[in-house]
Structure formats: structure tokens, C-alpha cells
Amino acid sequence: MSDDEVDHELLDLLRQKFGLGPGDASAPPETRVLENAQFIYDNSIDVALDMRHTKLAAVEILKQMQEREYSTKTWAEHPLHPKAKDESTLNFIFTMDLLNFSFWSEKSEEERFAVCYRGTRWTGYWSLVAALQRALDEGIPITTPSFWTDEEGCSEDVLKNVFRSETEEEIPMFQGRIDCLREAGQVLDMEFDSSVGVLVEDGKKSAAGLVNLLAERFTCFRDEAIFDGKKVRFLKRAQIFVADLWAAFDGEGYGEFDDIDKITMFADYRVPQMLHSLGCMSYCPPLEGRIRRLQTIEPAHSWELQIRGCSIWAIELLRREILKLQSDANINAILIDFFLYDLAKERERAKVEAIPHHRTRSIWY
Ligand SMILES: Nc1nc2c(c(CN[C@H]3C=C[C@H](O)[C@@H]3O)cn2[C@@H]2O[C@H](COP(=O)(O)O)[C@@H](O)[C@H]2O)c(=O)[nH]1
């Protein structure tokens, strides 16, 4: 680790533990995700971004987001997302984003893991949301942190039932999900009175501060890697947790942050696919071939890091182009990201031709 990183790491720790740091101890927290994404983009040779398509996409995205009046309010309009602006929704979102990863399957649409809830068959991200809602309907306190450390009440069998499938395939990375629940339950119990509300309050209304707190105190949120010898942070689930709170609570209460625009795109496997369809991002032939053959890419492989870093940077470029078109557009990286995820799912349902998403199996996204 270079001196620079050691300083960053140490200063973040000192600042958060003892309020120490360079000069002004109250220097606003930074996640360094966007700066790391630019570093990856500047040093990527297998993934490229295209400014002409980015400018064209910015026109279309701005137009569609305005036509659909896309805003934080869109979040609660989704059928399965909780609507109440209270602690139960806070706990739901924390549980959801603790487990918001790796839903993709090697099986067919018919055989893949699926959850039937209120008469609809859900897959992917929505299968997780449906499973949590179903568990709550069945009286299982799956969104209560103290439940996660109760190995009797919250046994593997109980969790198998919570995540039971309509098909033979169990939820991907079932053991990894248990490990996340157990660790989060323990850390919340030891450091935050088993309360997600206390954790959020410790973020002091700073989105970057809460993201850094999650990455520092929970290993299961510490989404980072080494690229070209430098530590890079993606912090996808920590960031999407803050973004979901901001959207669900419409920027108030638990969702009130004074630096929400420091949150970047969430480096997952769905939005990169959409960026490719828009012509904003492209892959070198060997990488494109691997993706089209549905072959997996190992976690922390340079190709994976280039896809994730360039995707974050691509959304930043889109955001800048949109603001050039309309400087007062009430749009940030979060809303662009949410919009592109939803658009990708609409196009998938409409069976619009697209490159497959990349396949990396990990708990980070
Ligand atoms: N970048 C980004 N990644 C997102 C989401 C969401 C859902 N967010 C909801 C909240 C507000 C929005 O309006 C969405 O309705 C899930 N994912 C990620 O995608 C993958 C799942 O894909 P599939 O298997 O096809 O469902 C998996 O890595 C999951 O973590 C997002 O918004 N942005």
C-alpha cells in the first residue's frame, strides 16, 4: 500500500474514532469511490467508454426521466418496496441491501430460483424483496437485527424457509447470505445497540460518512479490491443502502443527507449491460467473447474491476452531459442509475436484444 493510501486509511480511522485528521478535524468525509473509478477508467485497456454515444444517451435519458417524472418518489411506487416512512422500512432496507447481491442463475428462466408472492413469480433482485415481504407476512421477524444472531430462532432451516424457491434451485450464495446476516447482527449488537437507527444516526446525516462507517465496521460491506497495485473502493451495497434510504424517505428523516450527491452509480451486473446497449461502454473482443459465451469472470479479475470502475465513471460522464443540457435538472448519479436499472429490466421483459450481463459470483453485487 503506498504512503498515500496509508495516510487515507489511517486518517479515516483517526477522524472517525477520535475526530483527528489533517488540519480541520471536521473535514467532510469522502468515500473516494468516484476518484478510484476515474483511476480505473484512465488505466483500462479492455473496457472503453464512448463520448459520442454518451452525449446521445444523455439526451434520451433526460427526456425519458422528465417524461416519467423520475424522482425519489418512484422508489416507493415499485409494487414490493415498503411505503411507510418509519423504522420498519429502515430495517427492511438495511436487510434488503445486506443481501442485495448475485441473483443471476446458470439455469433457464423456468428452472432458476424464483419466489411466488401475492400471485406473481419474482426473480432476480425482486425475488429477494418478495422473500422478505413473504417472511414478514408469515410472522418471521427477518428484518429485525437481534433475530439474526439467534441461531435457535433464526436457524438455517428457518432461513431456508424464508428463501424457499418455486423451483429446485435454491437462492444463489445461500451460505454467504447467512454469513452476512450473522455478522451484521453481531456488529449491530456490539456497536449500535442492535439498532439500524443508531447506525444511521452515527452517520451524522452524511451519505459519505455513513458509507465509510458501513465499510469500516462491517466486513460484508467492505467492497474493495486491488487494481494496478492500488486499492480501489466500489462500496456498492453500502452506497445503494444510503441511496435506497434517501429515496424511500424522500430525503427526510432517516433519508436526510446533506451530501447525497457524493453517492456514485452502484457497480452491479445489470447497469453495465445497459451501458453497453446504449453504446456508452464497450469491451475488447476477448472480454466480449467471454461475456457472450456466459463464462464466469473471477472476482477481483482485472476485467471485472474495469467493468465496475468504467461503469461508475460512465454514469458520472452521463450526469455531466445531462447537466450541460439542463443545468437545473434535479438529477444525480443515484437517479440515473435507478432509471437505467429499471430500463434494463423493462427491456429484458420486452425481450429486447442485449449483450448478456457479465457473470461474477460474489457477495459484493
Ligand atoms: N446499479 C444498480 N443495481 C441494482 C439496482 C437494483 C434495484 N434497485 C431498485 C431500487 C430503485 C430502483 O428503481 C430499482 O427498482 C438491483 N441492483 C443489482 O442488480 C443486480 C440484480 O439484477 P437482476 O438479477 O436483473 O434483478 C444485482 O447486482 C443487484 O444488486 C439498482 O437500482 N441499481
Side-chain angles (χ1 to χ4, degrees):
M1 197 181 284
S2 74
D3 289 352
D4 173 50
E5 256 112 72
V6 169
D7 294 350
H8 266 313
E9 189 93 4
L10 197 56
L11 286 177
D12 280 353
L13 204 60
L14 291 172
R15 186 180 296 129
Q16 284 183 17
K17 291 256 190 231
F18 311 107
L20 302 176
D24 167 15
S26 64
E30 299 296 339
T31 68
R32 299 202 304 281
V33 172
L34 190 59
E35 135 194 357
N36 291 166
Q38 184 171 22
F39 170 75
I40 293 172
Y41 167 65
D42 289 344
N43 294 278
S44 284
I45 52 174
D46 303 305
V47 179
L49 301 183
D50 179 290
M51 270 324 287
R52 194 169 62 81
H53 281 97
T54 299
K55 288 174 185 294
L56 290 172
V59 174
E60 191 52 33
I61 290 167
L62 176 60
K63 178 169 164 286
Q64 285 204 32
M65 286 180 81
Q66 287 179 328
E67 278 169 9
R68 300 180 189 204
E69 295 180 342
Y70 211 88
S71 75
T72 51
K73 290 179 175 46
T74 313
W75 194 94
E77 289 164 9
H78 290 292
L80 295 182
H81 280 161
K83 319 282 179 241
K85 294 191 181 350
D86 61 14
E87 191 173 19
S88 68
T89 291
L90 167 69
N91 286 344
F92 189 98
I93 291 172
F94 184 81
T95 313
M96 183 180 77
D97 285 326
L98 188 60
L99 305 173
N100 188 356
F101 57 83
S102 214
F103 304 105
W104 60 267
S105 169
E106 319 242 54
K107 298 207 182 294
S108 67
E109 264 316 293
E110 296 67 41
E111 294 170 326
R112 70 180 293 191
F113 171 76
V115 171
C116 264
Y117 180 66
R118 292 193 177 162
T120 303
R121 184 180 190 274
W122 302 95
T123 57
Y125 162 80
W126 294 108
S127 67
L128 167 67
V129 189
L132 296 179
Q133 293 285 20
R134 179 178 64 182
L136 292 175
D137 288 359
E138 293 171 353
I140 299 165
I142 190 62
T143 59
T144 303
S146 55
F147 181 64
W148 307 334
T149 50
D150 170 5
E151 306 231 356
E152 287 278 300
C154 183
S155 65
E156 281 209 18
D157 284 345
V158 166
L159 289 172
K160 271 207 187 308
N161 180 54
V162 166
F163 296 111
R164 65 187 185 277
S165 176
E166 286 306 300
T167 67
E168 291 305 305
E169 186 180 47
E170 77 170 11
I171 189 166
M173 301 194 84
F174 177 64
Q175 188 54 50
R177 297 181 203 275
I178 295 180
D179 297 344
C180 288
L181 287 167
R182 300 283 192 230
E183 183 203 5
Q186 280 154 17
V187 172
L188 284 170
D189 176 41
M190 288 187 297
E191 303 191 30
F192 302 98
D193 301 333
S194 265
S195 159
V196 180
V198 169
L199 165 69
V200 171
E201 275 147 33
D202 281 9
K204 300 186 176 59
K205 297 198 185 311
S206 165
L210 183 52
V211 166
N212 287 341
L213 190 58
L214 285 161
E216 189 214 318
R217 304 289 177 80
F218 301 81
T219 56
C220 64
F221 277 108
R222 198 172 303 148
D223 174 10
E224 52 192 37
I226 302 294
F227 177 78
D228 275 6
K230 177 183 164 69
K231 188 180 89 168
V232 290
R233 309 174 96 203
F234 298 104
L235 304 182
K236 180 257 177 191
R237 288 195 288 104
Q239 290 203 100
I240 203 168
F241 167 62
V242 171
D244 282 335
L245 279 190
W246 173 70
F249 289 89
D250 207 11
E252 294 170 1
Y254 293 118
E256 185 187 348
F257 298 100
D258 51 27
D259 60 346
I260 192 65
D261 291 346
K262 285 184 182 173
I263 299 296
T264 73
M265 174 261 182
F266 317 112
D268 74 310
Y269 55 81
R270 191 57 70 189
V271 175
Q273 177 191 39
M274 191 66 233
L275 289 168
H276 185 277
S277 296
L278 291 168
C280 298
M281 186 163 79
S282 59
Y283 306 130
C284 69
L287 172 54
E288 178 162 346
R290 189 164 189 89
I291 291 173
R292 288 191 182 280
R293 289 191 300 272
L294 308 186
Q295 291 172 312
T296 55
I297 298 172
E298 282 311 299
H301 187 286
S302 173
W303 277 351
E304 185 218 18
L305 305 183
Q306 290 179 59
I307 292 171
R308 300 187 79 195
C310 290
S311 296
I312 292 171
W313 192 245
I315 299 294
E316 173 61 12
L317 295 177
L318 269 171
R319 186 190 68 82
R320 293 178 183 183
E321 289 305 315
I322 287 170
L323 290 181
K324 280 184 199 168
L325 292 168
Q326 186 171 327
S327 58
D328 65 347
N330 196 11
I331 287 176
N332 58 17
I334 296 173
L335 292 177
I336 297 170
D337 174 289
F338 281 173
F339 173 76
L340 290 180
Y341 172 85
D342 289 339
L343 185 61
K345 297 307 284 178
E346 273 174 35
R347 288 161 69 113
E348 185 185 55
R349 281 192 295 273
K351 302 207 184 317
V352 172
E353 185 57 33
I355 189 173
H357 63 71
H358 74 279
R359 280 156 172 71
T360 296
R361 191 63 83 191
S362 90
I363 68 160
W364 304 123
Y365 61 99

